[in-house]
Amino acid sequence: MVKNHWFRKISSGLLLLVVACLGCFYLSFNFDSGPDLAELLPRETLALVQVRDLAQACTSLQRSPLGQELLAPALEQKLLILGGEERTRARILGAVEGFRRLVSHPLFGAVFSRQSALALLPAERSFSSPASYLSANTLFIARTRIKVAPSVLLGWAEAGQSSLETSVYQGAVLTTIQGPGGGSLVVAVVDTTIICALERRAVERCLELMAERLLRPRFNLANDPLYQQLRADIRGREDVLIYANPGPLAELTSLAGEDTAPHSSRFTPGQRLFFSHQAAGRQDYLQLLLRGFGDTRSGLVEQYRLAPAVYNRGLAGIGAEASIYFWTNWLDPAALWQVFSRSPTLETAGALFYIGQQVYHHTGKDIDTLSHMFGPQFSFFVQDLAGAAPERAPLLCFQFQVRDPLGVQELLNLVLEEVPTRTTSLAGGRAVSVIMADGLIQPAYLLRGDQLVVADDISMIAGLFDEQAPKLVADPDFRGVGSAFTQANNLLLYTRIDQLNQGLRQLVLWILESQEAMGQISSEQHALLLTSGVTPLFESLAHVRSQGIRLRQAGPDLHLELTLYSPTTRTLGRSEGN
């Protein structure tokens, strides 16, 4: 009994020691002693752009084929060959040289490898112009991995013959750098936090919130209820974050002498814009959340009520050969016609009257009756995109939701009355092929229940109802981006980016050849644009295989999600944990 007693004590002690060691290890690598950057910003902040690892993003740009061309020493000579104004070339070269000096600085990795943010603060006084407002209220904050002494950080300023003035505020040393051209920069370093602004007051406001963040947290952006809700609705750990309050931003136009009422009246106090990017494995997730925009009733949206999110039943039938697939339930012809017909402008009214007359002449129906035949759901998909040359169009297939099948069938019979056709039994219905160009072109349609399918070839229609054919939902490239496509949505867009880029590249090459043939560009310019522009650009995008976009309305909010799938490497480098 005594041995068991001591054995239990020793085992408990060892277990406690292991837990303590693991806890210390976790805290040493994950404990964040510094404040969240949003805690250093006022609650009424107009805009915020935050990057988790700016150094890695810049390094990825440097190493990309396009970045290597932009940063090459021969850039100046290439710009001379392309021509253009000398001032424009000087601006490009100046921007490239500034970027090169910044990323090559020894402290660049230490300063920008953690969180950094650029913010636009609310005004404390009135301003006469947007430039003066931006100069006084723009703030940059960075969290460094190591403590950087202010003297080391500002060493470049002394070497550049700039004068330095120091003062103390809220226990922090403020250094004002007066440049030889008359401009100034105010810098404060507090532990691992660097704060910079063009005017002293912006830095002081940040230091005040830093000192009071534990005593009065409700006064900073991080504790604003709307900001917290937006962060909660964005999944994952973002690499890039953009936050904006559109109402006050629109009011800035009044400083430029414009009437701010038409702009600011479009926004309500509760509206916010929130964008984020997260990289996870082979996917990149980009999310845009428009808080309070779903119930906006201004302009066109004031009269055109958006339909709620629904499940897309037609997605299951799309074949795996589809390079592009689009679907929405926000295209209601009847509602759109009613909105446009209420237009107060004389020009619009005249155009709509002409359209209505033409529709009645060709169909025997007024446009109001015709628009009520179709529902709000519409989709299309594209095949043979990869092999389509500029002179050869890819194959398309359109799907329309039908409210009046008998009326639509009567309309089709009228339109095709004098056109040679061939009827084929398909999927329990009658598919009609239109014979054109002596049979070389045979578009077809099928009216089946509440669905009208129109395609370039009848085989595309047959594939929709062939349950044994490979389907898009089972394709690995689609599954990499379309996991949420089977949920309730308002708009879906799937694209095989690699095939689309291949077609775009062929189109660009054809345009360049045409421009050279017409004498618009020289052969030397053609070769330079090809080798230093087109080729590196598409090589930089080559690793992205597919893209998925979904848009849905959830109450008063609009959610837009874009997913990129890269089987080999990610689109944007994923930063390490901070």
Side-chain angles (χ1 to χ4, degrees), residues 32-41 110-111 114-117 139-150 153 172-173 187-196 203 206-207 210 213:
D32 199 348
S33 58
D36 181 3
L37 297 186
E39 294 180 335
L40 308 182
L41 302 174
V111 174
R114 294 188 72 189
Q115 289 184 351
S116 56
L139 183 75
F140 175 79
I141 313 174
R143 297 269 304 283
T144 62
R145 288 193 177 276
I146 59 175
K147 292 184 179 181
V148 180
L153 181 66
V173 177
V187 181
V189 181
V190 182
D191 293 329
T192 59
T193 302
I194 300 175
I195 308 169
C196 304
V203 178
C206 187
L207 293 174
M210 178 181 288
R213 65 188 182 94

Side-chain angles (χ1 to χ4, degrees), residues 409 413 422-433 445-448:
Q409 185 63 68
N413 293 338
R422 182 176 62 249
T423 302
T424 305
S425 298
L426 181 63
R430 296 170 58 251
V432 178
S433 299
Y445 78 86
L446 171 67
L447 182 60
R448 184 173 183 265

Side-chain angles (χ1 to χ4, degrees), residues 400-406 408 428-429 446-452:
F400 302 88
Q401 184 184 20
V402 175
R403 287 172 172 162
D404 183 5
L406 294 179
V408 171
L446 171 67
L447 182 60
R448 184 173 183 265
D450 64 345
Q451 186 180 26
L452 171 64

Side-chain angles (χ1 to χ4, degrees), residues 513-531:
E513 292 174 356
S514 302
Q515 291 290 306
E516 182 183 359
M518 293 185 297
Q520 300 294 326
I521 60 175
S522 64
S523 58
E524 188 179 15
Q525 290 175 328
H526 180 191
L528 180 60
L529 289 172
L530 179 61
T531 58

Side-chain angles (χ1 to χ4, degrees), residues 463-541:
L464 291 173
F465 304 98
D466 185 0
E467 298 180 354
Q468 304 301 321
K471 298 300 180 181
L472 183 64
V473 292
D475 184 76
D477 296 323
F478 176 84
R479 295 172 66 89
V481 298
S483 59
F485 276 37
T486 56
Q487 302 175 12
N489 295 287
N490 293 111
L491 185 147
L492 300 173
L493 175 61
Y494 166 76
T495 309
R496 275 291 301 271
I497 289 295
D498 57 341
Q499 297 182 6
L500 179 62
N501 287 342
Q502 183 179 345
L504 289 176
R505 186 177 187 276
Q506 294 176 355
L507 177 62
V508 172
L509 294 179
W510 177 77
I511 293 175
L512 290 178
E513 292 174 356
S514 302
Q515 291 290 306
E516 182 183 359
M518 293 185 297
Q520 300 294 326
I521 60 175
S522 64
S523 58
E524 188 179 15
Q525 290 175 328
H526 180 191
L528 180 60
L529 289 172
L530 179 61
T531 58
S532 299
V534 176
T535 299
L537 173 62
F538 284 101
E539 286 180 354
S540 299
L541 303 174

